Amino acid sequence: LEIKERLEQEGLFDPSKKRPLPQYPRRIGVVTSPTGAVIRDIITVSRRRNPGVDILLYPAKVQGAGSAQEIIRGIQWLNERDGVDVLIVGRGGGSMEDLFEFNDEALARTIRASKIPVVSAVGHETDFTIADFVADLRAPTPSAAAELATPDLTSFLVGLHGIKDQMDRLIAHRVVLERTKLQSLINRPVFKNPKTILQLRRSNFTHKAQSLISNAAALILNKSRQVALASQRLQLLNPLGVLTRGYSILQKDGKSVRSIHQLQVGEQALLQLSDGKADIRILSLKEEKKDGKF
């Protein structure tokens, strides 16, 4: 009781420190006596629940002086082995004296320090030891420990078959859906009579091409007429065109002369004709009244 109280105060029994057992262990390490009903029960139950599980036994004395040290060595040895997923430490029922070695403080600390989850299976259901409190899980009996550590392969296979059936139904439904889509595509005219669709497309293309050519020709003719009309208008506005009708342009200092007041008698000017230019001198100036009289 003193050891139990001290270890409890140190937190070795803290539920938050207890590790869950692996869901599908492939190798179970067992520390117990190599003879007797315990190891036989563990092997029988484990093989019944999962024939593929591997049992690795570390034979240890589980009763009497020095047995705690053997159990400690077994836990440490199994922690050094590869592939051990869970440990079962225990023995069959007996008196309080028979189970006393499982109250050893060093054993309790070794169980807590184990890297592998530990299931304690000491004695009968009514028997309790410090190893039970510090272990990650307590089993009432060694057989129960084997059941807790080994998943039921039958239940697993039933669940697996259920998943397979569900997948088969989903695949069958998907196949029907895709077959319906494929049939819908096959029934389309483009697949039933592709030549008809091609001829229709070619006819539409030819009609649109002819329409495009006709529209382009009409557009070009219209634009040509607009250009000719604009050219005629520009020709009428061209001052050089006026010169061909007998008119001329008088320039002085590079500027067109529009008024008699821009000229003086005796100065020179430039006369622009339709076929050339002539230098002239102003001999006289006569102003024309607005009414046309001089």
Side-chain angles (χ1 to χ4, degrees):
L1 292 176
E2 290 176 358
I3 295 173
K4 177 177 177 295
E5 183 177 358
R6 183 169 63 254
L7 296 180
E8 187 172 12
Q9 290 178 353
E10 292 182 23
L12 267 69
F13 304 159
D14 188 351
S16 64
K17 294 182 179 180
K18 296 184 181 298
R19 296 157 294 188
L21 303 187
Q23 190 173 7
Y24 301 108
R26 290 191 285 183
R27 174 174 289 183
I28 299 175
V30 180
V31 181
T32 191
S33 172
T35 60
V38 172
I39 186 60
R40 290 197 301 271
D41 291 345
I42 290 175
I43 292 174
T44 300
V45 173
S46 300
R47 289 284 188 269
R48 173 172 51 81
R49 292 176 64 83
N50 183 1
V53 71
D54 186 21
I55 306 295
L56 182 59
L57 171 66
Y58 183 91
K61 187 171 66 171
V62 293
Q63 180 176 336
S67 57
Q69 293 302 316
E70 288 196 20
I71 298 171
I72 290 172
R73 285 194 294 271
I75 295 173
Q76 294 173 341
W77 185 84
L78 288 170
N79 268 267
E80 295 172 356
R81 306 279 78 75
D82 293 331
V84 178
D85 300 308
V86 63
L87 298 182
I88 296 177
V89 178
R91 55 153 291 154
S95 64
M96 185 178 297
E97 290 77 10
D98 294 337
L99 308 179
F100 186 76
E101 291 295 307
F102 287 90
N103 293 318
D104 184 79
E105 181 176 351
L107 175 58
R109 295 186 183 278
T110 301
I111 292 174
R112 183 70 277 156
S114 172
K115 297 181 296 184
I116 305 171
V118 178
V119 179
S120 175
V122 181
H124 299 299
E125 187 172 358
T126 56
D127 297 325
F128 282 91
T129 63
I130 290 178
D132 295 322
F133 293 110
V134 77
D136 295 289
L137 184 65
R138 174 190 179 265
T141 63
S143 297
E147 290 191 6
L148 293 171
T150 310
D152 188 0
L153 186 61
T154 302
S155 301
F156 173 76
L157 292 177
V158 169
L160 192 62
H161 284 303
I163 295 174
K164 178 182 177 298
D165 292 341
Q166 184 179 8
M167 290 179 63
D168 289 342
R169 289 193 297 270
L170 290 174
I171 293 173
H173 175 72
R174 186 60 180 269
V175 169
V176 171
L177 181 63
E178 297 301 329
R179 183 179 289 118
T180 302
K181 291 181 180 179
L182 179 61
Q183 190 62 42
S184 176
L185 291 173
I186 293 174
N187 291 334
R188 290 185 178 183
V190 68
F191 290 107
K192 282 192 170 183
N193 196 346
K195 288 186 177 181
T196 302
I197 300 297
L198 185 60
Q199 291 173 356
L200 180 61
R201 294 289 187 270
R202 183 181 290 116
S203 176
N204 291 338
F205 174 77
T206 303
H207 175 73
K208 290 181 179 180
Q210 292 174 350
S211 177
L212 182 62
I213 293 172
S214 299
N215 292 337
L219 180 62
I220 292 172
L221 179 60
N222 184 40
K223 294 300 179 182
S224 298
R225 289 174 179 175
Q226 292 179 4
V227 170
L229 182 60
S231 178
Q232 292 175 1
R233 290 177 180 177
L234 288 174
Q235 189 63 30
L236 293 175
L237 296 176
N238 186 359
L240 297 179
V242 178
L243 300 179
T244 60
R245 298 199 297 271
Y247 294 93
S248 61
I249 300 174
L250 184 62
Q251 295 180 336
K252 175 186 173 182
D253 299 330
K255 297 181 180 179
S256 297
V257 178
R258 297 184 180 183
S259 172
I260 196 172
H261 298 291
Q262 295 178 253
L263 301 172
Q264 294 181 3
V265 175
E267 66 181 353
Q268 289 185 338
L270 180 67
L271 191 65
Q272 175 72 47
L273 303 171
S274 63
D275 57 352
K277 298 179 181 180
D279 291 324
I280 64 173
R281 183 181 298 277
I282 306 300
L283 300 178
S284 63
L285 295 172
K286 293 180 181 181
E287 184 178 2
E288 184 180 350
K289 302 279 179 88
K290 293 184 178 181
D291 56 2
K293 295 179 179 181
F294 294 95

